[in-house]
C-alpha cells in the first residue's frame, strides 16, 4: 500500500474545525460552572452541586477530546514528514494511529453529547408534568 503525502494533509482542516468546536464547548461549560458556583455559594442548593458535578465530567471528557484531536493532528504531521523523507511503512502506521486518535476523539464527543442531552432532559422533566 502506498500513501501519498497529501492524504494525511486532508485531516488538517477537519481536525482544526473539530478542535475549535471543542474549545467553544469547553469555554461555554466553564462559564456555566463559574455562574453555578457563584449561585451555589449564595444558596447551597444540592441540585446546583449535582449540575456542577455533571458539567465537571463533561469538562473532563472535552479535555480528552481535545487531547486526542491534537494527537491526531500531531501524528498526521509526523506521518507527512516520514512520507516526505521516504519512510513509507512507518508513515502509514502513524497515519493509521492519527485516524484512530480522531476516532477516539469523536467517540468521546458522542459520549459528552449524550451526557448533555440526558442532563437537559432531566432539567426539563418538570415541564412534562404541567
Amino acid at each position: 500500500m502506498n500513501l501519498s503525502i497529501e492524504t494525511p494533509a486532508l485531516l488538517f482542516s477537519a481536525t482544526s474545525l473539530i478542535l475549535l468546536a471543542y474549545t467553544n464547548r469547553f469555554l461555554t461549560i466553564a462559564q456555566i460552572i463559574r455562574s453555578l458556583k457563584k449561585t451555589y455559594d449564595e444558596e447551597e442548593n444540592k441540585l446546583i452541586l449535582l449540575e456542577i458535578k455533571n458539567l465537571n465530567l463533561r469538562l473532563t471528557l472535552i479535555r480528552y477530546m481535545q487531547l486526542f484531536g491534537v494527537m491526531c493532528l500531531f501524528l498526521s504531521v509526523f506521518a507527512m514528514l516520514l512520507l516526505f523523507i521516504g519512510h513509507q511503512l512507518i508513515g502509514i502506521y502513524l497515519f493509521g494511529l492519527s485516524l484512530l486518535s480522531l476516532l477516539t476523539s469523536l467517540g468521546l464527543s458522542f459520549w459528552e453529547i449524550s451526557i448533555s442531552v440526558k442532563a437537559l432532559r432531566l432539567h426539563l422533566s418538570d415541564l412534562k408534568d404541567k
Side-chain angles (χ1 to χ4, degrees), residues 10 21 79 81 110-111:
L10 293 173
L81 176 67
F110 181 75
W111 184 14

Side-chain angles (χ1 to χ4, degrees), residues 23 45 67 72 75 109-111 120:
T23 301
N45 185 339
L67 171 75
C72 170
L75 290 170
S109 177
F110 181 75
W111 184 14
L120 286 173

